[in-house]
Amino acid sequence: MELITEVSCGDWLRERIGGWDRVGGTAGAGFEAYARILHPVPVHREDLTVADRWGMHPVLEEGRWPWSRVAARQGLTMHPLVQWNRLADLHQGVDFADGWRVGQSRDGSLDVDLLAGLTRHLREATRSPEQLVVGIWAGWGELSGTTVVHARAEDCDAQTEADARMRLHLEEQRTSVAPDVAAAVRRGPLVELPGREYVLLATGCDELADETWPRRAGIGWTSVFDGPLPQLVWPADHAWVVASEIDWDSTIVAGSRALVDAVLTDDRYEAFEVEEGSDLTWEGDLVNPPRAGWSAGP
């Protein structure tokens, strides 16, 4: 990937987006159809019959679940505007009696393997599959060197060992951001869209189809920790937009009827068709009741 310094290539999208709380406000108005891809959630199963001196249970298996599995276990309803905060506690996730523990959805980006798979459909829906623009929100701490990672001393024989490892990690993180990307985050050029600023990078479907690309892209990925992923992707002919608003638990694919149908029928994705004006805020789920003790209001 290469840094794009001529950020006027994003002007067309600025003219088509607006309020972040609506589908078209984030992905752009005026497309033929829109698909919403739900970000799968991490899960693991613990052996509840065994506990260490800190009360922690050994992990027997790990995986990733679609939202529908979490909803079904609780008698909740899946629908196009379902919100994760109605299916799970925003801080604790969900713990089931059989030892399965559900974590949180990844807000703001589609998992790298799912983005890679999506390129199969994206390349067929544009005349310029190798002329793509990627937008990454400039506010990610990994890009500016402000991310703080906390070591767990109990995992080490001595705190000094933990400190040494942390220093090595922070140095790796600092050097994992390409100099021109770091400079753009500090001083520009950035494309300014309503409420958000993005670093722009040039890429193509071939590169995005390779799941290892983030570790070579200079965007803060290290050998230990994953860094940011794209919030926006679009081709030179503006045929579609893939948008992952940083505060959303899902990704919007905006484009032709054929593209959206291809996404909706791909078993790799838990996807629903939505409308340009659909509400994807935390209060947008009018089917499932709010979880006890939580409200988005004052």
Side-chain angles (χ1 to χ4, degrees):
M1 291 194 177
E2 296 183 1
L3 180 72
I4 296 175
T5 58
E6 187 51 65
V7 296
S8 61
C9 65
D11 289 350
W12 76 279
L13 187 55
R14 183 186 300 110
E15 297 171 357
R16 297 176 68 166
I17 68 174
W20 68 272
D21 57 342
R22 295 296 187 269
V23 168
T26 292
F31 287 98
E32 188 176 8
Y34 298 83
R36 179 189 181 206
I37 299 175
L38 306 181
H39 299 167
V41 291
V43 298
H44 66 272
R45 184 169 66 88
E46 298 178 350
D47 184 349
L48 301 181
T49 66
V50 179
D52 61 20
R53 57 178 174 164
W54 295 287
M56 304 296 290
H57 305 290
V59 175
L60 300 176
E61 56 183 311
E62 297 177 292
R64 189 172 66 177
W65 281 4
W67 294 19
S68 56
R69 189 167 179 179
V70 181
R73 277 177 160 239
Q74 301 178 91
L76 298 172
T77 303
M78 292 298 296
H79 61 97
L81 302 185
V82 63
Q83 286 291 313
W84 181 246
N85 74 310
R86 300 298 172 91
L87 305 185
D89 184 275
L90 285 174
H91 303 290
Q92 302 298 324
V94 185
D95 293 346
F96 291 109
D98 58 0
W100 280 107
R101 304 192 69 178
V102 180
Q104 293 300 324
S105 64
R106 178 170 184 162
D107 288 350
S109 58
L110 188 63
D111 287 350
V112 66
D113 64 311
L114 297 179
L115 179 60
L118 193 60
T119 60
R120 169 188 169 190
H121 306 304
L122 297 176
R123 71 168 63 250
E124 295 176 358
T126 175
R127 298 186 304 274
S128 51
E130 292 309 311
Q131 295 176 285
L132 305 186
V133 176
V134 159
I136 298 178
W137 180 53
W140 294 119
E142 292 90 339
L143 299 182
S144 61
T146 59
T147 298
V148 176
V149 182
H150 299 282
R152 294 178 57 187
E154 64 268 25
D155 291 338
C156 309
D157 293 333
Q159 183 62 47
T160 53
E161 182 181 347
D163 290 343
R165 287 208 303 266
M166 187 54 55
R167 284 194 297 272
L168 289 173
H169 164 69
L170 292 175
E171 176 61 19
E172 182 185 6
Q173 185 180 73
R174 183 184 67 81
T175 59
S176 69
V177 179
D180 58 352
V181 171
V185 169
R186 293 192 302 269
R187 301 185 298 272
L190 301 172
V191 65
E192 298 182 11
L193 301 178
R196 303 281 186 255
E197 294 181 328
Y198 300 93
V199 177
L200 298 186
L201 302 170
T203 187
C205 282
D206 285 349
E207 185 169 30
L208 290 185
D210 179 355
E211 297 177 26
T212 67
W213 71 264
R215 301 197 183 279
R216 301 187 301 274
I219 56 174
W221 284 55
T222 73
S223 60
V224 179
F225 292 102
D226 294 348
L229 284 168
Q231 277 63 68
L232 293 167
V233 186
W234 72 78
D237 63 1
H238 308 163
W240 46 258
V241 171
V242 177
S244 302
E245 155 61 33
I246 60 169
D247 289 328
W248 281 1
D249 47 24
S250 52
T251 289
I252 300 299
V253 178
S256 67
R257 178 78 261 167
L259 171 60
V260 167
D261 285 345
V263 173
L264 295 176
T265 56
D266 190 327
D267 291 340
R268 291 173 293 184
Y269 304 103
E270 187 173 36
F272 291 92
E273 183 166 2
V274 289
E275 302 298 325
E276 182 180 303
S278 294
D279 179 0
L280 290 186
T281 65
W282 284 352
E283 298 288 9
D285 186 345
L286 301 179
V287 176
N288 297 298
R291 299 186 78 83
W294 185 91
S295 173

